[in-house]
Coordinates of all heavy atoms in Angstrom, one line a residue:
L7 N 4.9 10.7 -3.7 CA 5.6 11.1 -2.5 C 6.7 10.0 -2.3 O 6.4 8.8 -2.4 CB 4.7 11.1 -1.3 CG 5.3 11.4 0.0 CD1 5.9 12.9 0.1 CD2 4.3 11.3 1.2
S10 N 6.7 5.8 -0.3 CA 5.3 5.8 0.2 C 4.4 4.8 -0.6 O 4.9 4.2 -1.6 CB 4.7 7.2 0.0 OG 4.2 7.4 -1.3
R11 N 3.2 4.7 -0.2 CA 2.3 3.8 -0.9 C 2.0 4.2 -2.3 O 1.4 3.4 -3.0 CB 1.0 3.6 -0.1 CG 0.4 5.0 0.2 CD -0.9 5.2 0.9 NE -1.4 4.4 2.0 CZ -1.2 4.7 3.3 NH1 -0.4 5.6 3.6 NH2 -1.9 4.0 4.2
R14 N 2.9 1.8 -5.4 CA 2.0 0.8 -6.0 C 1.5 1.3 -7.3 O 1.2 0.5 -8.2 CB 0.8 0.6 -5.1 CG 1.1 -0.4 -4.0 CD -0.2 -0.5 -3.1 NE -0.6 0.7 -2.6 CZ -1.5 0.8 -1.6 NH1 -2.1 -0.3 -1.1 NH2 -1.9 2.0 -1.1
R33 N 9.6 14.0 1.4 CA 9.1 14.1 2.8 C 9.9 15.1 3.6 O 11.1 15.3 3.3 CB 9.1 12.8 3.5 CG 8.1 11.7 3.0 CD 8.2 10.5 3.8 NE 7.4 9.4 3.3 CZ 6.1 9.2 3.7 NH1 5.6 9.9 4.6 NH2 5.4 8.2 3.2
S38 N 8.6 13.6 8.5 CA 8.2 12.6 7.5 C 6.9 12.9 6.7 O 6.4 12.1 5.9 CB 8.0 11.2 8.1 OG 9.2 10.7 8.5
L39 N 6.3 14.1 7.0 CA 5.1 14.5 6.3 C 5.3 14.9 4.9 O 6.5 15.3 4.5 CB 4.4 15.6 7.1 CG 3.8 15.1 8.5 CD1 3.2 16.3 9.2 CD2 2.8 14.0 8.4
A40 N 4.3 15.0 4.1 CA 4.4 15.4 2.7 C 4.6 16.9 2.7 O 4.2 17.6 3.6 CB 3.1 15.1 2.0
L44 N 2.0 19.5 -2.2 CA 0.9 18.5 -2.5 C -0.5 19.1 -2.3 O -1.4 18.6 -2.8 CB 1.1 17.2 -1.7 CG 1.9 16.1 -2.4 CD1 2.2 15.0 -1.5 CD2 1.2 15.7 -3.7
G51 N -3.6 17.1 0.6 CA -2.2 17.1 0.6 C -1.5 15.7 0.7 O -0.4 15.6 1.2
K52 N -2.2 14.7 0.3 CA -1.6 13.3 0.4 C -1.3 12.8 -1.0 O -1.7 13.3 -2.0 CB -2.7 12.3 1.0 CG -3.2 12.7 2.3 CD -2.2 12.3 3.4 CE -2.8 12.6 4.8 NZ -1.8 12.9 5.7
S53 N -0.4 11.8 -1.0 CA -0.1 11.1 -2.2 C -0.5 9.6 -2.1 O -0.5 9.1 -1.0 CB 1.4 11.2 -2.4 OG 1.9 10.3 -3.4
P54 N -1.0 8.9 -3.2 CA -0.9 9.4 -4.6 C -2.1 10.2 -5.0 O -3.2 10.0 -4.5 CB -0.8 8.0 -5.3 CG -1.6 7.1 -4.5 CD -1.4 7.5 -3.0
E65 N -6.7 8.9 -4.0 CA -7.0 7.7 -3.2 C -6.6 6.5 -4.1 O -7.1 6.2 -5.1 CB -8.5 7.7 -2.8 CG -8.8 6.6 -1.8 CD -8.2 6.8 -0.4 OE1 -8.2 8.0 0.1 OE2 -7.7 5.8 0.1
T66 N -5.7 5.7 -3.5 CA -5.1 4.6 -4.3 C -6.1 3.7 -4.9 O -6.0 3.3 -6.1 CB -4.1 3.8 -3.4 OG1 -3.3 4.7 -2.6 CG2 -3.2 3.0 -4.3
G67 N -7.1 3.3 -4.1 CA -8.1 2.3 -4.7 C -8.8 2.9 -5.8 O -9.1 2.2 -6.8
E103 N -6.7 -0.7 1.9 CA -6.6 0.6 2.6 C -7.7 0.7 3.7 O -7.5 1.4 4.7 CB -6.8 1.8 1.6 CG -5.6 2.1 0.8 CD -4.4 2.5 1.6 OE1 -4.5 3.3 2.5 OE2 -3.2 2.1 1.3
F178 N 1.2 -3.3 -0.4 CA 1.7 -2.3 0.6 C 1.4 -2.8 2.0 O 2.4 -2.7 2.9 CB 1.1 -0.9 0.3 CG 1.7 0.1 1.2 CD1 3.0 0.6 1.0 CD2 1.0 0.7 2.2 CE1 3.6 1.5 1.8 CE2 1.6 1.7 3.0 CZ 2.9 2.1 2.8
A221 N 6.9 3.2 4.6 CA 6.4 4.1 5.7 C 4.9 4.2 5.7 O 4.3 4.0 4.8 CB 7.1 5.5 5.6
Ligands
GSH301 N1 -5.8 5.9 1.8 C1 -5.0 6.9 1.1 C2 -3.8 7.3 2.1 C3 -3.1 8.4 1.5 C4 -1.8 8.7 2.4 O1 -2.0 8.7 3.6 N2 -0.7 8.9 1.8 C5 0.5 9.0 2.5 C6 1.7 8.4 1.8 S1 2.1 6.8 2.4 C7 0.9 10.5 2.6 O2 0.7 11.3 1.7 N3 1.6 10.8 3.7 C8 2.1 12.1 4.0 C9 1.4 13.0 5.0 O3 0.5 12.4 5.7 O4 1.8 14.1 5.1 C10 -4.5 6.3 -0.2 O5 -4.4 5.1 -0.3 O6 -4.4 7.1 -1.2

Side-chain angles (χ1 to χ4, degrees):
L7 179 65
S10 81
R11 51 178 36 91
R14 281 179 298 195
R33 290 179 184 269
S38 290
L39 293 177
L44 264 175
K52 303 278 185 213
S53 168
E65 192 64 45
T66 319
E103 285 294 321
F178 188 72

